[in-house]
Amino acid sequence: MMRIIRDVSLWFLIEDAKKKRIVLYTDKKYYAALCQVLQNIDVEIEYAVSDEGRDELRSVYDLMFENYDEIVVVVAKDDYDFPAARLKLEGMGFSLGVNFKNIRKYVPECLSMPYYYDPVCGFNLFTGNEKTNGFKIFGDMKDRNSIRILTMGGSTTDAFLYPFKSWSEILHERLEECGVPNIVYGGGG
């Protein structure tokens, strides 16, 4: 069974749905479950296509009549079926990451950075600096007058995972606005 969607992918999918029409390219066995997930997050599907093009699913070749700049085709297929779907869409002029996306890898490539097992947080990010691996630093570490705050936690503390600000960064900014010199070490994961 294909894992339908990861929680972090939801944000990107919702953002795409605000800008473009969503067309689902799937198989009948996943169609109902995917429609339910997308309905729960208020993502409206324009229509769905499949290779067979039966029942409520149109033929994938119906996509050729679309303006490619106005839609995003969300491909929801088993891993072994995705390469064939990709070839078919690219053969019709679609571009991976632009006009169509694999629902299993919907998030940007920045999330492919190396994570390491951490017995406390579950994982830790390799950041390229041996002294601060796993931490996103907000503020000037050389400033001796700044208070130092360590934030630990889950995904809301993780400053690498999402494209929007973590609460660690918001804390740093709020303290700066109040004139409190600070350094926040975001260690969420």
Side-chain angles (χ1 to χ4, degrees), residues 87-154:
L87 283 173
K88 192 173 287 185
L89 290 170
E90 287 175 341
M92 290 190 283
F94 286 91
S95 298
L96 178 63
V98 178
N99 314 106
F100 76 95
K101 298 181 180 182
N102 182 351
I103 200 165
R104 290 182 55 119
K105 297 179 181 172
Y106 211 87
V107 293
E109 294 303 314
C110 65
L111 294 180
S112 64
M113 296 172 75
Y115 282 89
Y116 299 99
Y117 177 73
D118 180 318
V120 177
C121 294
F123 63 88
N124 203 332
L125 183 65
F126 175 73
T127 58
N129 183 335
E130 286 295 320
K131 294 181 180 180
T132 61
N133 269 340
F135 293 92
K136 176 77 172 184
I137 289 86
F138 301 101
D140 182 4
M141 287 189 354
K142 296 175 184 168
D143 184 355
R144 296 188 183 270
N145 297 320
S146 293
I147 62 169
R148 285 157 168 67
I149 301 169
L150 171 65
T151 58
M152 300 294 289

Side-chain angles (χ1 to χ4, degrees), residues 44-116:
E44 185 176 326
I45 302 169
E46 186 76 18
Y47 59 91
V49 298
S50 72
D51 295 315
E52 298 83 28
R54 289 188 233 141
D55 303 322
E56 64 270 7
L57 303 176
R58 297 184 190 178
S59 167
V60 68
Y61 295 107
D62 286 357
L63 295 171
M64 294 175 67
F65 299 102
E66 289 286 349
N67 179 340
Y68 294 5
D69 295 329
E70 295 177 359
I71 65 171
V72 172
V73 178
V74 178
V75 181
K77 292 184 160 284
D78 290 313
D79 283 342
Y80 56 85
D81 287 335
F82 181 74
R86 178 180 179 174
L87 283 173
K88 192 173 287 185
L89 290 170
E90 287 175 341
M92 290 190 283
F94 286 91
S95 298
L96 178 63
V98 178
N99 314 106
F100 76 95
K101 298 181 180 182
N102 182 351
I103 200 165
R104 290 182 55 119
K105 297 179 181 172
Y106 211 87
V107 293
E109 294 303 314
C110 65
L111 294 180
S112 64
M113 296 172 75
Y115 282 89
Y116 299 99

